[in-house]
Amino acid sequence: MRTTSETQSATNVATRVAGEDIQKGDFVTVLSEIFEVPSFLWNCSDVSLPPDEPVRARYTYTSNGTPYKVSVVCLPFVYAKRPRGAMACFDIRRHELVRLDRESGRSLWKLLRKKKKKK
């Protein structure tokens, strides 16, 4: 018995992007954020750190996956619009941005904007 499958599916992947490669009109989202605390507040190690040296930690961004449409790039800052209209500013030294696939970003953007109009 022979079977054939007519369904073709493609997997879209968000790619990490350097600040220099971000352009107006790109759809981006935040993958992670870096925060710094003074070493004298860091009690997570047995080694004593110099008091003037900051400790950096990375955490997953709270609105991870939310698409933003880039409006202006003035490095190190990226100004982007949220689907519901408000602007957000990302400092690429603190925020790791990923570029969404063009088609995925556009369809998700339209879907989230429609939710706004229904309310």
Side-chain angles (χ1 to χ4, degrees):
M1 179 173 170
R2 292 186 194 170
T3 59
T4 60
S5 176
E6 298 294 326
T7 306
Q8 293 182 4
S9 62
T11 302
N12 297 325
V13 179
T15 56
R16 292 181 184 184
V17 61
E20 308 85 49
D21 297 333
I22 298 173
Q23 299 175 1
K24 180 179 178 179
D26 283 347
F27 291 98
V28 297
T29 189
V30 180
L31 185 62
S32 61
E33 185 172 352
I34 297 170
F35 69 95
E36 294 181 352
V37 293
S39 61
F40 60 83
L41 294 177
W42 191 258
N43 293 328
C44 294
S45 67
D46 295 334
V47 180
S48 105
L49 299 168
D52 60 341
E53 183 178 321
V55 176
R56 291 183 179 171
R58 179 181 305 266
Y59 72 95
T60 303
Y61 198 65
T62 53
S63 61
N64 201 3
T66 303
Y68 294 89
K69 189 173 185 179
V70 176
S71 299
V72 177
V73 178
C74 183
L75 295 178
F77 304 107
V78 175
Y79 298 91
K81 189 175 180 182
R82 292 184 173 116
R84 300 201 177 194
M87 290 293 287
C89 177
F90 300 109
D91 183 344
I92 62 167
R93 297 169 294 186
R94 288 187 53 214
H95 298 93
E96 183 179 8
L97 299 178
V98 293
R99 182 185 294 141
L100 299 174
D101 174 65
R102 189 77 158 152
E103 191 60 36
S104 299
R106 186 178 294 128
S107 61
L108 185 57
W109 181 265
K110 286 180 182 179
L111 180 69
L112 292 173
R113 288 190 59 89
K114 284 181 184 177
K115 282 186 179 180
K116 174 188 174 186
K117 291 178 182 178
K118 286 182 181 179
K119 290 183 178 184

